[in-house]
Each structure stands twice: as C-alpha cells, then as structure tokens.
Amino acid sequence: MAATVARHQAARRRGPRRVFDALLFGIGELLITAGLVVALFLTWQLWWTGIDANAKAAEVATAFTDTQVDSPKVEGTKHYDDPPEVAPVGYGEVIGMLVVPKWYGVTNNNMPVLEGIGADVLDQAAAGHYPDTQQLGAIGNFAIAGHRRTNGNSFRRIDLLEEGDEIIVATKDTWYVYTVTSHEIVEPTDVDVIAPVPGEPGVAPTERMLTMTTCHSLTVGEWGNDHRWITYAKFTYWMERAEGRPASVLNDEGVN
C-alpha cells in the first residue's frame, strides 16, 4: 500500500515536470527558428542586396560611360579657373561617375552619382546627390550620400580617406577633382554638415566643397545608424576628358 501511494505521489510530481520540460522544449524550438530567420535575413542583407545593387550600378555605369568623351590615358592639363557648369538632372538620373583612387583594388572606386538620396537611388550601389545642395563644381557644397553596409557597400571604406587624397567626379566631358581636407563623426541630427559652408548654416559660401556622408559603424548588430561618418573635400582643379585624365587614375583599368 505504501509503495502504491509513493508511486502516485511521484507521478503527480512528474506531471508538472513534464509540462515544464515541454515548455522549455517549445521555447528552445522557437529560439532556434528565430535564429534561423535572423541568419537568413542577415544573409539577404549582406549578400543578396549587394549582388542585386551592384548589377544595377553596372548597368547604369555602362549606359553612362557609353556617352562619355574618350579620355586618353595620359595626364591631362590641370585647369584652376572656374570649372564648367553642370546642368541639374532629374531625380534618379546620372550626374557622373564617382572615382576614388584610394579605393582602387579595395572596393568600388567607380560608381554612378545619381540625383536624390531616396532608398531607390542609394540601393543601386550608387552615390546620391542631396537635391538641396549645390551642383557639382559650383561654389558651395556638393553633398553626396552612400550606403556603408548592404546594397553594394558604396562608401564602405570611407575610413581609408586621408587629407590630401583625391575624390573625382567624371561627367560626360570633364573631370572634377576635389582633395580631402578632413572628416568627423556626427549625430544623425547634425544636418549642418551639408550646408553651403559645412557646419556654418546661413554663411555665404566662397569655396567649392564636396561632402560625403554615410553611416559610421560597420558592426552588424548596430547597422551603423547611431552616428554618421562625414568626409570633407575642397575643389582643386578640373580637366577636359579629351585632353587626358588625372594622374591618380592613369593606371586604373576600371575607370573609363
């Protein structure tokens, strides 16, 4: 009799334990499923979006370079006077090709510069021109944005740029050459970096500037949304494509 009672008591104790074990098993299954979903999402973000974006960029670049004046692979004549004016283009249309010699062999150093900064523009592995900033080569601030992570990683290696490095925009007939002056890390709300005089809203510009903006962090968990990396450059000279090209891209086979 005592043994029977003990068995019943043990069974009653095992009942809640079985429920608890089943609950733990269910939670474990959910965590595994969630982990797989996150892994698939990260794969899509980091891998597939890059393939798709780079394919779009290559298509745009090919179409644009077909319209460019041939540029012989000799060093061209540097012009220090006012550069040719660049006419505004419509949203999503091509302004030129961004060439960053420092990125040669490291990341894409020849990408389309499109008008606008919407996701549909930047997701094409392109640099996007802030519509409310000055035109390329004009007095003021020609400000552009690009992804640092996903969708082509356009500005991924912005951290490599140092004072004195060239940033070039090639239009159909002209090379516009800027030289890096500095960089800083700012809050996303610090929009004064794209003012006509960066950091000094309301001040009338007297120089031709270029500003690159992108996410700061490369950490997957943060997605780089906590701060912005800003690189500033000052206009140095321009060249006619028909006369040659900047010395910094003479040996770059990827630049038209």
Side-chain angles (χ1 to χ4, degrees):
M1 183 68 177
T4 302
V5 172
R7 284 197 298 272
H8 284 303
Q9 290 176 340
R12 284 196 296 271
R13 287 195 296 270
R14 286 197 297 271
R17 179 59 182 270
R18 290 194 186 98
V19 173
F20 182 71
D21 289 345
L23 181 60
L24 285 180
F25 180 79
I27 292 174
E29 289 285 307
L30 288 174
L31 290 175
I32 291 172
T33 301
L36 289 174
V37 170
V38 171
L40 289 171
F41 175 74
L42 292 178
T43 299
W44 175 78
Q45 281 276 32
L46 299 176
W47 181 64
W48 175 250
T49 61
I51 293 176
D52 186 47
N54 286 324
K56 292 176 181 177
E59 183 178 349
V60 172
T62 297
F64 183 76
T65 54
D66 285 345
T67 69
Q68 288 182 302
V69 173
D70 289 338
S71 185
K73 292 188 176 181
V74 297
E75 186 172 357
T77 302
K78 296 180 179 180
H79 298 279
Y80 298 99
D81 56 343
D82 295 344
E85 294 185 4
V86 177
V89 299
Y91 183 85
E93 294 182 354
V94 184
I95 297 171
M97 298 296 294
L98 178 67
V99 180
V100 184
K102 191 66 170 286
W103 291 350
Y104 177 62
V106 178
T107 188
N108 183 13
N109 71 322
N110 186 35
M111 71 185 70
V113 182
L114 309 180
E115 182 66 20
I117 57 169
D120 54 336
V121 169
L122 300 184
D123 288 358
Q124 299 181 56
H129 171 236
Y130 287 89
D132 293 333
T133 66
Q134 281 66 44
Q135 297 297 317
L136 175 65
I139 293 177
N141 191 9
F142 178 72
I144 56 178
H147 286 304
R148 195 168 186 206
R149 188 108 185 177
T150 75
N151 294 289
N153 307 322
S154 303
F155 289 179
R156 179 178 177 83
R157 296 321 307 268
I158 195 171
D159 57 308
L160 294 181
L161 295 179
E162 301 174 313
E163 183 178 352
D165 289 336
E166 288 188 345
I167 298 173
I168 304 166
V169 180
T171 62
K172 294 180 178 181
D173 53 17
T174 307
W175 301 94
Y176 294 80
V177 183
Y178 294 78
T179 301
V180 173
T181 57
S182 63
H183 81 273
E184 63 176 335
I185 311 301
V186 304
E187 299 283 348
T189 54
D190 291 338
V191 297
D192 293 347
V193 297
I194 63 171
V197 178
E200 300 183 41
V203 176
T206 59
E207 296 181 313
R208 296 174 169 86
M209 300 291 296
L210 179 149
T211 298
M212 301 174 69
T213 74
T214 191
C215 295
H216 170 224
S217 176
L218 283 174
T219 303
V220 174
E222 296 176 358
W223 291 105
N225 291 322
D226 53 344
H227 286 79
R228 298 289 182 266
W229 186 296
I230 314 296
T231 291
Y232 301 106
K234 184 182 297 186
F235 181 78
T236 310
Y237 62 90
W238 63 276
M239 286 183 175
E240 294 184 16
R241 286 182 56 87
E243 294 181 346
R245 56 185 61 198
S248 57
V249 299
L250 284 178
N251 298 319
D252 191 337
E253 298 297 328
V255 176
N256 186 44

